[in-house]
C-alpha cells in the first residue's frame, strides 16, 4: 500500500515536469523595422520644413506577435549619436536649443499581428528651432523584445 502511494506521488511529479509539443515556445527574437514593399519614410538626411507634415511609414514584423511602437523626435544640436545608422548626414554647427521640438508618442498595434504597416502623419510645429534632429522608432513585440532605429533628419 505504501509503495502504491509512493509510486502514485512519483508518477504525478513526473507528469508535472514533463513537456509537451503543444506548449508555447518562448519568443526570443527581436521584432524588425523595415521599408520592404513600401516607400519608407523618413529616411536618413531627409529635410522637412516647419509647418509641414512628416508622413511616417514603415513595416513592422515579428516571428510571434507584435506589441506596440513609439516615435520620438528630439534635437541633435549637440551632435550626439544613437549608433543605429552608418549614414552620415551633413550637420549644422553646434548650438544651444532655444525652442527645440520634442515629440514622443506611443502607438498600439492590434493584437495577434505578425506584420503591421504603420502610417502616421506628424505635424511639425511652426515655432520650433530649425536644425538637426533625431527621429527615433522603437518597436516592441508582445514578449517585450525591442528594436530601435534612429534616423538623422533636418528641420528648416
Amino acid at each position: 500500500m505504501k509503495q502504491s502511494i509512493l509510486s502514485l506521488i512519483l508518477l504525478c511529479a513526473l507528469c508535472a515536469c514533463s513537456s509537451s509539443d503543444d506548449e508555447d515556445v518562448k519568443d526570443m527574437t527581436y521584432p524588425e523595422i523595415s521599408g520592404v514593399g513600401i516607400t519608407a519614410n523618413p529616411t536618413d538626411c531627409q529635410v522637412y520644413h516647419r509647418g509641414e507634415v512628416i508622413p511616417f511609414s514603415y513595416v513592422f514584423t515579428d516571428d510571434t506577435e507584435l506589441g506596440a511602437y513609439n516615435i520620438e523626435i528630439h534635437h541633435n544640436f549637440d551632435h550626439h549619436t544613437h549608433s543605429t545608422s552608418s549614414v552620415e548626414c551633413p550637420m549644422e554647427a553646434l548650438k544651444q536649443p532655444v525652442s527645440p521640438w520634442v515629440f514622443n508618442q506611443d502607438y498600439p498595434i492590434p493584437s495577434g499581428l505578425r506584420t503591421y504597416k504603420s502610417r502616421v502623419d506628424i505635424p511639425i510645429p511652426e515655432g520650433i528651432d530649425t536644425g538637426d534632429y533625431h527621429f527615433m522608432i522603437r518597436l516592441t513585440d508582445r514578449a517585450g523584445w525591442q528594436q530601435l532605429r534612429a534616423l538623422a533628419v533636418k528641420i528648416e
Side-chain angles (χ1 to χ4, degrees), residues 20-27:
S20 166
D21 291 338
D22 295 337
E23 288 182 12
D24 289 311
V25 176
K26 290 193 186 279
D27 181 357

Side-chain angles (χ1 to χ4, degrees), residues 65-114:
E65 184 178 359
L66 293 164
Y69 66 103
N70 171 275
I71 297 173
E72 177 191 340
I73 303 167
H74 62 265
H75 77 81
N76 187 22
F77 303 159
D78 61 356
H79 296 182
H80 67 274
T81 181
H82 295 282
S83 301
T84 68
S85 176
S86 60
V87 176
E88 290 194 30
C89 303
M91 296 182 71
E92 295 180 5
L94 294 169
K95 67 180 185 179
Q96 292 295 314
V98 175
S99 184
W101 183 25
V102 177
F103 180 88
N104 194 334
Q105 182 69 48
D106 294 324
Y107 298 91
I109 296 173
S111 296
L113 296 181
R114 290 179 175 180

Side-chain angles (χ1 to χ4, degrees), residues 12-148:
C12 288
L14 287 173
C15 289
C17 294
S18 68
S19 64
S20 166
D21 291 338
D22 295 337
E23 288 182 12
D24 289 311
V25 176
K26 290 193 186 279
D27 181 357
M28 301 300 288
T29 306
Y30 291 100
E32 294 184 19
I33 301 167
S34 170
V36 174
I38 63 165
T39 302
N41 197 69
T43 58
D44 277 311
C45 307
Q46 281 188 302
V47 177
Y48 298 95
H49 298 89
R50 293 184 289 190
E52 291 182 346
V53 168
I54 298 174
F56 174 78
S57 182
Y58 274 88
V59 175
F60 303 140
T61 58
D62 188 63
D63 63 332
T64 307
E65 184 178 359
L66 293 164
Y69 66 103
N70 171 275
I71 297 173
E72 177 191 340
I73 303 167
H74 62 265
H75 77 81
N76 187 22
F77 303 159
D78 61 356
H79 296 182
H80 67 274
T81 181
H82 295 282
S83 301
T84 68
S85 176
S86 60
V87 176
E88 290 194 30
C89 303
M91 296 182 71
E92 295 180 5
L94 294 169
K95 67 180 185 179
Q96 292 295 314
V98 175
S99 184
W101 183 25
V102 177
F103 180 88
N104 194 334
Q105 182 69 48
D106 294 324
Y107 298 91
I109 296 173
S111 296
L113 296 181
R114 290 179 175 180
T115 300
Y116 182 75
K117 290 182 181 178
S118 60
R119 179 73 174 91
V120 178
D121 286 332
I122 303 168
I124 303 169
E126 290 279 352
I128 63 166
D129 293 339
T130 60
D132 300 305
Y133 281 83
H134 280 147
F135 192 106
M136 312 282 294
I137 308 163
R138 290 179 183 87
L139 173 62
T140 308
D141 69 12
R142 192 62 66 192
W145 294 103
Q146 186 178 85
Q147 187 65 262
L148 170 70

